[in-house]
Amino acid sequence: MDWKEVLRRRLATPNTCPNKKKSEQELKDEEMDLFTKYYSEWKGGRKNTNEFYKTIPRFYYRLPAEDEVLLQKLREESRAVFLQRKSRELLDNEELQNLWFLLDKHQTPPMIGEEAMINYENFLKVGEKAGAKCKQFFTAKVFAKLLHTDSYGRISIMQFFNYVMRKVWLHQTRIGLSLYDVAGQGYLRESDLENYILELIPTLPQLDGLEKSFYSFYVCTAVRKFFFFLDPLRTGQYLNLDKDHNGMLSKEELSRYGTATMTNVFLDRVFQECLTYDGEMDYKTYLDFVLALENRKEPAALQYIFKLLDIENKGYLNVFSLNYFFRAIQELMKIHGQDPVSFQDVKDEIFDMVKPKDPLKISLQDLINSNQGDTVTTILIDLNGFWTYENREALVANDSENSAELDDT
């Protein structure tokens, strides 16, 4: 019995000497004595607690230090053996062929066109004959996942086989990637992923014509794209922008990116916030920049641009920050002989598009939720983007006229 329950019952027992009244202090002393007694008895009954804890398996092992060479080698060898065992658990080509033979043998008529089908009863029969490695695929959950509109309650044999194939390929890829996890921590660092892609290039038919001198550019581009979308791909343009051929981009060189109509105010913010070296941008930083601009509908890209627009680092855009960037658009319009548009009108349009929770502040989440983040950011940083937005109705009408002319011909 819990000591607390014992104490509660003892204190609830009626006084056996009703004629003798106890003082308040005596009652408190008695309560404390009982508490001490029963707690000590309860504690004494758990003398083997430490022994009990020792039966829990050890679940944490510290990583070996750099100078513990033997421990490091042991850990690497253990990981290699583990991955080999996981690889052997996957279906090989012969086993996949045998699975296809069994599925085809147990198909359930009638066929739907040329599509062979199988019902749940035969599905389970194949599972029993296919072997232990296939057991994970022959479950009610998998069958229900692939069951669609068949009036006989069957699934497509081809769809099921493709499902198995995709699972096998997925695990094969996972094991292959794990081999490049040098630190053995369950994730790939940038250098690990670079090594993986570099060794993958010779196996990709699409890259047969790629000169080895461009391998490093391809690897860097691919890795940056992975890292950007998981927390651009214009190598030729990068080389063209780099006029002094020092492998870096200055603000003046970057200003020629795209249609060369980004505002200096925005470019200043890029070089203020992004990692640079002596005021110049390296290729990896450039890739992040291009990925953000070319994928402005994506949350990751909007987060990148929002940080640049949030000049006061307040976590939101207000009228001041919007005006700060749009003034640069107005100046470019004057330079190009265009009549400047009123900021007040643009500001109202932006807030109407975004419909933020706070009518005076636009948060990153507001931009994402509005599905207008790409439009808002474009009209604040790029004259060509703003001009396209401002003349969108005329451009649509012109496209319609051109389409009508083509139809007439």
Side-chain angles (χ1 to χ4, degrees), residues 195-251:
N195 291 333
Y196 172 75
I197 293 177
L198 182 62
E199 295 185 17
L200 194 65
I201 288 178
T203 68
L204 300 175
Q206 300 92 328
L207 301 180
D208 282 343
L210 185 65
E211 296 181 14
K212 287 191 175 182
S213 59
F214 284 94
Y215 276 19
S216 60
F217 284 104
Y218 177 83
V219 169
C220 187
T221 301
V223 169
R224 293 310 293 177
K225 189 164 188 179
F226 273 113
F227 274 85
F228 185 87
F229 282 106
L230 296 176
D231 182 351
L233 302 309
R234 298 164 71 172
T235 303
Q237 182 173 8
Y238 181 82
L239 297 177
N240 291 333
L241 292 174
D242 183 18
K243 294 300 181 182
D244 57 9
H245 305 293
N246 68 343
M248 310 279 278
L249 296 182
S250 65
K251 191 182 83 168

Side-chain angles (χ1 to χ4, degrees), residues 33-205:
D33 290 341
L34 285 170
F35 172 80
T36 304
K37 174 185 175 183
Y38 290 120
Y39 181 76
S40 298
E41 291 177 358
W42 174 79
K43 190 72 174 177
R46 298 177 66 88
K47 289 180 180 178
N48 295 326
T49 299
N50 291 335
E51 294 298 324
F52 171 74
Y53 288 150
K54 289 180 181 179
T55 64
I56 299 176
R58 184 176 178 182
F59 57 87
Y60 171 75
Y61 294 85
R62 69 173 180 83
L63 293 176
E66 291 184 4
D67 57 344
E68 296 176 316
V69 180
L70 283 178
L71 287 178
Q72 287 186 346
K73 291 294 183 183
L74 176 61
R75 190 165 185 273
E76 291 175 8
E77 187 63 24
S78 299
R79 285 186 65 249
V81 171
F82 171 76
L83 292 174
Q84 288 172 6
R85 177 165 59 83
K86 285 295 182 183
S87 182
R88 288 194 296 270
E89 291 174 1
L90 299 177
L91 295 171
D92 58 29
N93 288 335
E94 183 177 342
E95 290 166 327
L96 285 169
Q97 290 176 3
N98 180 59
L99 174 61
W100 176 256
F101 171 76
L102 288 171
L103 287 168
D104 186 59
K105 185 178 179 181
H106 289 80
Q107 60 178 278
T108 308
M111 295 180 66
I112 299 180
E114 297 182 357
E115 188 86 5
M117 311 293 286
I118 187 170
N119 63 16
Y120 188 61
E121 183 181 355
N122 287 340
F123 177 79
L124 293 180
K125 289 180 181 178
V126 174
E128 292 174 358
K129 298 178 181 180
K133 286 186 182 181
C134 293
K135 186 177 180 180
Q136 59 178 308
F137 302 115
F138 288 88
T139 65
K141 184 177 181 180
V142 171
F143 190 90
K145 186 183 295 185
L146 298 174
L147 182 62
H148 297 301
T149 57
D150 181 62
S151 57
Y152 297 94
R154 305 167 302 171
I155 63 173
S156 163
I157 288 177
M158 179 59 73
Q159 285 186 6
F160 173 71
F161 188 73
N162 286 338
Y163 171 83
V164 174
M165 290 283 287
R166 284 196 298 270
K167 286 289 186 181
V168 172
W169 290 336
L170 177 64
H171 288 298
Q172 284 176 339
T173 303
R174 176 68 183 270
I175 292 171
L177 285 170
S178 297
L179 294 172
Y180 291 84
D181 176 14
V182 177
Q185 291 296 291
Y187 58 81
L188 296 181
R189 300 168 299 179
E190 191 168 348
S191 58
D192 300 330
L193 194 55
E194 286 175 350
N195 291 333
Y196 172 75
I197 293 177
L198 182 62
E199 295 185 17
L200 194 65
I201 288 178
T203 68
L204 300 175

